[in-house]
Structures are given as structure tokens and as C-alpha cells.
């Protein structure tokens, strides 16, 4: 049994890394062999002679993995910009072949792959090639991380529609509470409205979490989301 998911967001900074990490921990706790990947990182940090993806490091630590950075985060760009903007600024181009080869290698090593995207679906990577094209090349369904509050219906529906128009399937939507705020009427009603208008499974909501250190990220808030993902994707119990 092999399954892969591409975790995108309705925006940048929406909680893709945290949700991917939590899902990985929850699936590992259920006995699955989970791999993680962050194919392109912008805003990578300089350490020693090279550039490091802090998102990839967080995902590896959360999942308890030691896979090589050259597979998990094959492309690290220093400017905190969309990849095409980095190319326009510095001339450095993102080569897709190496990314697909790294993904294929990791997918062969693990039974479930969780791949964290870059910003949202229409972030340009090369001229005429966005994150959505990468998803199409990887041929994997999406998990969409969305804000829970007012305004999210518009962004979430646009993201689902954008995926479906290009033939990408959506495994489900996760509402993530990045902020510790009292629940509003919009937050109470949005999951049902979005389920209805988008006709996509809502995998659940992740509450605001006080302790977000990768090694001690609590598993409990992510277990219902992981169980729903396993159910809607018809993934068998691990051997
Ligand atoms: N449920 C949550 N509870 C508490 N803090 C959260 C939660 N979700 C996200 N955060 C915090 O919000 C910030 C942004 O989250 P995260 O880095 O996961 O977003 P992202 O979508 O991966 O961003 P990027 O587009 O830069 O990759 C982080 O500091 C993270 O710890
Ligand atoms: Mg991230």
C-alpha cells in the first residue's frame, strides 16, 4: 500500500508545516511508515556552506526521520520570494527533474508520503509553471489547509476550483486555528458551507496549539484528521 498527499494552503503562513507535521506524527502513532518532503523552500537559511530548509527540518524532527536533506528539501532558495521572483532577481532557475526524482526515491522508501507545498497553488515556480503543475507532475491528491474565519469560503472555494479545473483531486480540507481567538459565527458555520459548496470532505479542524516544538507537538489534535484522511482515501491498516 502506497499513498501520497500534497499539502497546499489557501495562502502562505496558513499552517501547512504544522498540519503536515501533526498529520505525520498521528499517522506514525497509528503504525504507518510516513515520509515527508518540502520540494522547494524559499527563505532558506544559510548554515555553514549551504542553505537549509527549516520547514523540512521541522517535518523530519516531528516525524522522527533522518532522511537526507538532498531528497527531502532538494531546492533551497535564499530570498523569501516566490521561486519565479527569485529567478527574475538572481537568474537562478528551479530544475524540476531533480525534484521529481527525489520525490520518487522517497515514495519508494515510505508507505505514505506527505509533501508540503509552497504558498498556494498558483505560486509561480518557472515561467508558465506553478505549484499546481508540480502537483500534476507528482500525480497526487491535495490536502488543503485553510483559515477557519471570515473570508475563508472565498479562498478555499477558489483553491478547490483551481485544482479541479486542472484535474487534480482533493482528498480534503483542514481548518487550522493559527490564532488563539474566541470562536466566531463564521468559524462555526464555515465547515458546513464549504463542504456543501465545494463538495469535498472536511477532514477536521486543528485547534490553536500552545506547544508547537516539533519534538513535543501533541498528537491528539491531529488524530481525528488522520483517521478521516485514512477513511476517505481508503488506506488500509498498516501490516
Ligand atoms: N494550530 C496552530 N496553533 C498554534 N500555532 C500555529 C498553528 N498553526 C500554525 N501555527 C503557527 O503559525 C505559524 C505559521 O505556520 P506554518 O509555518 O505551519 O505555516 P506555513 O503555511 O507552513 O507557512 P509557509 O508558507 O511559510 O511554509 C508558525 O509559527 C506556526 O507554529
Ligand atoms: Mg511551511
Amino acid at each position: 500500500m502506497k499513498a501520497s498527499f500534497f499539502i497546499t494552503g489557501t495562502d502562505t503562513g496558513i499552517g501547512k508545516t504544522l498540519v503536515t507535521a501533526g498529520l505525520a506524527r498521528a499517522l506514525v502513532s497509528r503504525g504507518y511508515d510516513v515520509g515527508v518532503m518540502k520540494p522547494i523552500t524559499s527563505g532558506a537559511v544559510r548554515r555553514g556552506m549551504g542553505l537549509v530548509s527549516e520547514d523540512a527540518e521541522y517535518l523530519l524532527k516531528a516525524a522522527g526521520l533522518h532522511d537526507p536533506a538532498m531528497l527531502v528539501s532538494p531546492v533551497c532558495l535564499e530570498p523569501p520570494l516566490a521561486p519565479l521572483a527569485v529567478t527574475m532577481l538572481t537568474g537562478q532557475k528551479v530544475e524540476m527533474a531533480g525534484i521529481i526524482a527525489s520525490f520518487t526515491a522517497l515514495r519508494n522508501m515510505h508507505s505514505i508520503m506527505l509533501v508540503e507545498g509552497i504558498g498556494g497553488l498558483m505560486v509561480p515556480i518557472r515561467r508558465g509553471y506553478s505549484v499546481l503543475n508540480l502537483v500534476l507532475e507528482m500525480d497526487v491528491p491535495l490536502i488543503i489547509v485553510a483559515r477557519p474565519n471570515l473570508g475563508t469560503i472565498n479562498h478555499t472555494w477558489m483553491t478547490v476550483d483551481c485544482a479541479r479545473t486542472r484535474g487534480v483531486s482533493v482528498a480534503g480540507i483542514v481548518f487550522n486555528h493559527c490564532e488563539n481567538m474566541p470562536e466566531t459565527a463564521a468559524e462555526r458555520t464555515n465547515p458546513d458551507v464549504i463542504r456543501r459548496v465545494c463538495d469535498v470532505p472536511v477532514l477536521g479542524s486543528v485547534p490553536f496549539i500552545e506547544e508547537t516544538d516539533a519534538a513535543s507537538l501533541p498528537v491528539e489534535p491531529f488524530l481525528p484528521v488522520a483517521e478521516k484522511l485514512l477513511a476517505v482515501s481508503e488506506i488500509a491498516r498498516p501490516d
Side-chain angles (χ1 to χ4, degrees):
M1 182 276 307
K2 295 263 183 199
S4 301
F5 299 96
F6 192 101
I7 294 84
T8 192
T10 52
D11 201 353
T12 192
I14 207 92
K16 294 183 301 292
T17 306
L18 187 109
V19 171
T20 307
L23 262 180
R25 284 171 80 79
L27 291 168
V28 167
S29 80
R30 287 290 186 257
Y32 290 91
D33 172 1
V34 181
V36 295
M37 186 180 187
K38 174 84 183 181
I40 305 172
T41 304
S42 63
V45 294
R46 192 159 285 284
R47 206 177 292 154
M49 295 293 284
L51 289 169
V52 171
S53 167
E54 290 183 318
D55 277 4
E57 286 187 328
Y58 187 91
L59 294 175
L60 285 170
K61 198 170 173 189
L65 291 165
H66 299 280
D67 292 344
M70 58 181 288
L71 292 181
V72 177
S73 46
V75 174
C76 288
L77 308 168
E78 195 164 19
L81 298 170
L84 181 63
V86 176
T87 305
M88 289 163 69
L89 201 68
T90 69
Q92 186 187 358
K93 277 189 183 159
V94 175
E95 299 303 335
M96 305 316 297
I99 292 175
I100 300 299
S102 297
F103 171 62
T104 305
L106 287 168
R107 194 179 47 187
N108 289 336
M109 289 160 58
H110 300 285
S111 52
I112 299 182
M113 274 303 296
L114 301 178
V115 181
E116 182 191 339
I118 312 104
L121 286 183
M122 294 311 285
V123 169
I125 295 175
R126 295 172 63 104
R127 199 181 293 267
Y129 188 107
S130 76
V131 169
L132 188 60
N133 294 90
L134 176 59
V135 179
L136 280 165
E137 268 201 73
M138 288 182 164
D139 193 20
V140 291
L142 291 176
I143 295 173
I144 299 170
V145 180
R147 281 189 298 122
N149 50 348
L150 195 63
T152 200
I153 296 175
N154 177 48
H155 290 128
T156 307
W157 196 3
M158 284 201 295
T159 302
V160 170
D161 204 50
C162 169
R164 285 218 175 120
T165 304
R166 298 289 300 276
V168 172
S169 73
V170 181
I173 297 165
V174 180
F175 295 100
N176 181 46
H177 292 71
C178 270
E179 290 170 320
N180 194 8
M181 302 282 275
E183 195 182 49
T184 61
E187 288 176 23
R188 274 192 295 281
T189 50
N190 279 338
D192 272 348
V193 175
I194 286 174
R195 188 185 292 114
R196 185 169 300 186
V197 297
C198 296
D199 194 22
V200 163
V202 170
L203 301 176
S205 291
V206 173
F208 180 81
I209 296 168
E210 295 287 348
E211 176 55 74
T212 57
D213 183 69
S216 46
L217 188 64
V219 172
E220 293 72 27
F222 301 95
L223 283 175
V225 178
E227 292 293 349
K228 184 87 186 266
L229 177 67
L230 292 168
V232 300
S233 307
E234 298 179 355
I235 295 174
R237 296 283 146 203
D239 306 326

